[in-house]
Amino acid sequence: MNFLAHIFLSGDDKEVLIGNFIADHVKGSQSENFRPGIQKGIQLHRKIDLYTDSHPVVKNTKEVIRPAFGKYAPVVSDVYYDHFLAHNWHTVSDMPLEQYIQNFYEYAEQVNEILPQRTRGMLSVMIRQNWLLSYRTIEGTGKILEAMSKRAAFESNMEMGGKVLREHYETLEADFREFFPQLEQFVSDTIRRQAEKKISRKV
């Protein structure tokens, strides 16, 4: 999953949200430098990625788009799923997407000093170009993938992301609609187990 999904799946705990957001820029034991709540978010991010990468529905999505993107298919599928989440936002939240995103930007800026340096730089560009809202449209998603293609180490064809999304839209959206509720349940169960472990340690 990409940025919007990780943020959304963090729930109402702001420290978990920040940990989930910065996790890709925190390697190994570096997570121990952060507060326990943020560490919990980093761990949740990694569990979400493992669950997503091994899920058969997500594997199907990657196979559908692999002829176009090769080894970059997993990267593109993450971005596509953020598009479908943004496009279908009304099915997962009562808060308008624009307000949800603005709330996140404002909070992330408030805690900017605790973010990894790479995250700070990325956040600045993310807010300026409003990546999270851009996911809502095919055109916006295509522009994000086009920008990513310019930073790819190898030929990725990600500049074709908007075109490929249009071509396979119904199949890919069906995959997302099947997968995402299962991911939400996985995250809910994971958070519940973490809470139970915390209680048992206190007892």
Side-chain angles (χ1 to χ4, degrees), residues 59 76 80 145 174-175 181:
K59 288 182 178 179
V76 177
Y80 282 173
L145 286 165
D175 282 354

Side-chain angles (χ1 to χ4, degrees), residues 25-201:
H25 296 156
V26 179
K27 306 303 180 185
S29 61
Q30 290 177 354
S31 62
E32 297 173 5
N33 297 327
F34 296 92
R35 295 194 294 265
I38 296 176
Q39 290 183 36
K40 184 178 173 182
I42 294 169
Q43 293 165 6
L44 179 61
H45 180 109
R46 292 169 179 170
K47 289 178 180 178
I48 288 170
D49 282 354
L50 285 171
Y51 179 83
T52 299
D53 291 343
S54 64
H55 198 284
V57 173
V58 179
K59 288 182 178 179
N60 180 70
T61 293
K62 289 184 282 193
E63 287 309 308
V64 169
I65 64 176
R66 197 175 301 279
F69 304 113
K71 66 181 180 181
Y72 285 91
V75 176
V76 177
S77 69
D78 283 347
V79 175
Y80 282 173
Y81 276 27
D82 258 20
H83 162 71
F84 291 118
L85 176 58
H87 185 68
N88 295 281
W89 186 257
H90 63 283
T91 67
V92 299
S93 177
D94 294 328
M95 182 182 292
L97 179 61
E98 294 88 346
Q99 185 60 57
Y100 183 88
I101 290 170
Q102 186 59 36
N103 290 350
F104 167 73
Y105 287 157
E106 289 176 1
Y107 180 67
E109 287 189 303
Q110 288 173 19
V111 298
N112 189 271
E113 70 280 358
I114 70 171
L115 304 179
Q117 185 173 355
R118 285 183 62 194
T119 308
R120 291 182 208 169
M122 182 190 70
L123 178 65
S124 176
V125 178
M126 174 183 284
I127 293 174
R128 186 168 65 249
Q129 299 180 357
N130 204 354
W131 292 357
L132 298 182
L133 192 61
S134 295
Y135 289 132
R136 188 164 58 179
T137 66
I138 296 175
E139 292 77 13
T141 303
K143 287 180 180 178
I144 288 172
L145 286 165
E146 184 177 353
M148 290 172 65
S149 74
K150 295 175 182 177
R151 301 193 299 271
F154 303 97
E155 184 176 354
S156 67
N157 288 331
M158 285 191 287
E159 69 278 4
M160 302 293 292
K163 179 177 181 292
V164 175
L165 178 57
R166 287 184 188 279
E167 289 175 351
H168 299 285
Y169 201 88
E170 291 184 3
T171 298
L172 299 174
E173 185 171 33
D175 282 354
F176 171 81
R177 287 179 177 272
E178 181 180 354
F179 167 70
F180 199 72
Q182 297 179 48
L183 176 59
E184 288 184 286
Q185 186 61 55
F186 168 78
V187 170
S188 177
D189 291 344
T190 299
I191 292 174
R192 175 180 51 77
R193 286 194 296 269
Q194 288 175 335
E196 290 172 350
K197 287 181 181 179
K198 185 176 181 180
I199 293 171
S200 66
R201 284 197 295 268

